[in-house]
Amino acid sequence: MQCPVLPQTIMGFVIRCSGRHQIALALLAAGVFGLSSVPLELQRRIVNDAIKSGATETIFWLAAAYAGVALLEQALKLALNLYRAWVSEDAVRGLRKTLEDVLEETGPAATGTHAAMAVAEAEPIGGFVGMAISEPLLQVGILVSVVGYMTFLEPWTLVLSAGFLIPQMLFVPPMQRAINRRAEQRIRVLRQVGGDIVESGVPLDARVERVFELNMGIYKVKYSMNLAMNFMHYLAVAVALGVGGWFAVQHRIEVGTIVAVVSGLGKLNDPWGDLVNWGRELSVDSVKYRLFADAVGRRGLATA
C-alpha cells in the first residue's frame, strides 16, 4: 500500500491506506472471540455432567470437542496473525516508498538526519497498522464474551468481573499517560542525539543521560502497572475460589462452575493486558507517525 497523500493522524492513515484489509482482519478477529467462551462451557460440562454420571463415552466426545474447538481457534489466530503481519509489512513498504518519492522530488541533498529517522520510524508505524482495528475488536470481544458467559452461569460473577476491571480502569489510564509523556520526550531527545551524531560524530552527554532517565522512568511506571494488574487478577481468583467454594459446600453451585469461572478470569486477564498494550502502542506510534508525516510534509509530499 502506498498513500500519495499522508493523513495527519495514524488512524486516518490506517483507514485510508488499508481499509479493505482492516474489514477482513475484523472478521477474522470476530471468529476468534466468538469461540472464546466455548472451551469454558465444555470444561464445565466435562466436570459436572460427564464425570458425575460416569459416562465415559460422553467424556471422550466432550474432550474431542474441546480439542477441536481449541484447534479451530488457534488456526483462526494463525490466519489473523499472518494477515496482520502482511498488512504491517505492506504498510512499512509503502511508507518507505513514500520517502523514495520525496527524495526524488527534492534531490540527494535532502538525504539527511530527518530522512534517516523517518526510515527507522516506518517500522513501528507499519507494525501498528496490522493491529490497529482488529486488536481492540478481538480483545474487547473476548472480554464481553467471557464476562457474558460467566454472568449467565452465575450472576454474582458480574460483580466479581467488575471488581477485577473497574479498579484497573481507574489506575491504568493515568499511569499509561505518564508512560506516553516519557515516550514522546524520549523520541524527541533521540532525534536530537541523532542530530548531534551527524554534526559532531558524538552525542552530548546530557542528552544521553536524559534518554537513560526517561527509559528508567518508563520501566518504573510500566512494571508497577503490570504488578498492580496482576495483583487484581490473583485477587479476583482468590475471591472466586473462596466464594465459589463456600457456595459449593452449601450445594448452591457445582464444582464445574467454579472451574469455569476461574478459567474465565484467566481469559479476562490476558485480553485486558493486551488491550492496555494496544493503547500504549497507539499513543507512542501516533507520536512517531506525526513526526514522520511532518518530515514528509516539509519535503514536498502532501499531508492532509
Side-chain angles (χ1 to χ4, degrees):
M1 69 183 74
Q2 185 175 3
C3 292
V5 178
L6 289 180
Q8 291 184 348
T9 65
I10 191 169
M11 293 307 294
F13 173 71
V14 168
I15 294 171
R16 181 178 297 181
C17 301
S18 63
R20 291 177 298 174
H21 297 301
Q22 298 298 332
I23 294 173
L25 287 170
L27 292 174
L28 278 173
V32 174
F33 75 68
L35 293 173
S36 59
S37 62
V38 177
L40 301 178
E41 175 63 14
L42 291 171
Q43 288 178 15
R44 187 186 69 84
R45 291 192 178 187
I46 290 173
V47 174
N48 282 349
D49 303 336
I51 293 180
K52 183 184 294 184
S53 63
T56 305
E57 183 176 354
T58 302
I59 294 175
F60 287 153
W61 279 112
L62 289 173
Y66 182 91
V69 169
L71 180 61
L72 177 59
E73 184 180 11
Q74 294 306 310
L76 288 175
K77 283 185 178 180
L78 175 62
L80 176 63
N81 290 332
L82 288 176
Y83 197 179
R84 280 179 175 176
W86 182 87
V87 171
S88 295
E89 289 301 317
D90 193 40
V92 173
R93 179 175 58 184
L95 289 171
R96 286 174 175 161
K97 287 183 177 180
T98 298
L99 287 173
E100 291 173 6
D101 293 342
V102 172
L103 296 177
E104 287 176 3
E105 293 178 11
T106 57
T111 59
T113 305
H114 291 91
M117 287 187 293
V119 170
E121 288 162 10
E123 193 79 30
I125 293 170
F128 179 77
V129 170
M131 59 182 282
I133 294 176
S134 61
E135 180 70 1
L137 178 64
L138 172 63
Q139 306 308 337
V140 171
I142 292 175
L143 289 172
V144 172
S145 177
V146 173
V147 170
Y149 171 74
M150 292 195 304
T151 304
F152 173 76
L153 281 183
E154 289 293 332
W156 63 269
T157 60
L158 179 61
V159 177
L160 180 63
S161 301
F164 167 66
L165 292 174
I166 290 177
Q168 297 188 59
M169 292 178 183
L170 296 177
F171 70 72
V172 166
M175 297 181 77
Q176 186 59 58
R177 285 193 294 271
I179 292 175
N180 296 341
R181 287 193 299 271
R182 289 167 173 80
E184 181 171 356
Q185 293 173 28
R186 178 181 177 274
I187 293 171
R188 296 185 183 280
V189 175
L190 283 175
R191 286 199 162 196
Q192 294 172 345
V193 168
D196 292 341
I197 293 174
V198 170
E199 292 177 3
S200 62
V202 293
L204 293 178
D205 288 343
R207 287 176 178 155
V208 173
E209 289 298 322
R210 181 58 176 159
V211 171
F212 174 80
E213 292 173 1
L214 289 170
N215 283 339
M216 290 307 301
I218 290 173
Y219 291 141
K220 289 176 182 177
V221 179
K222 176 182 175 181
Y223 293 134
S224 297
M225 184 171 67
N226 290 343
L227 182 149
M229 291 171 62
N230 289 333
F231 174 75
M232 293 304 303
H233 166 66
Y234 290 116
L235 181 62
V237 170
V239 172
L241 291 172
V243 175
W246 183 77
F247 281 161
V249 170
Q250 301 294 320
H251 302 291
R252 295 176 59 181
I253 63 173
E254 297 172 307
V255 175
T257 302
I258 302 176
V259 173
V261 169
V262 172
S263 297
L265 289 172
K267 274 184 167 282
L268 290 181
N269 195 47
D270 290 340
W272 175 249
D274 291 340
L275 197 59
V276 171
N277 290 335
W278 175 85
R280 180 183 303 129
E281 292 295 325
L282 172 61
S283 299
V284 174
D285 291 334
S286 292
V287 174
K288 293 179 180 178
Y289 177 80
R290 186 175 71 248
L291 296 173
F292 183 99
D294 287 346
V296 168
R298 287 195 298 270
R299 283 168 170 74
L301 195 68
T303 58

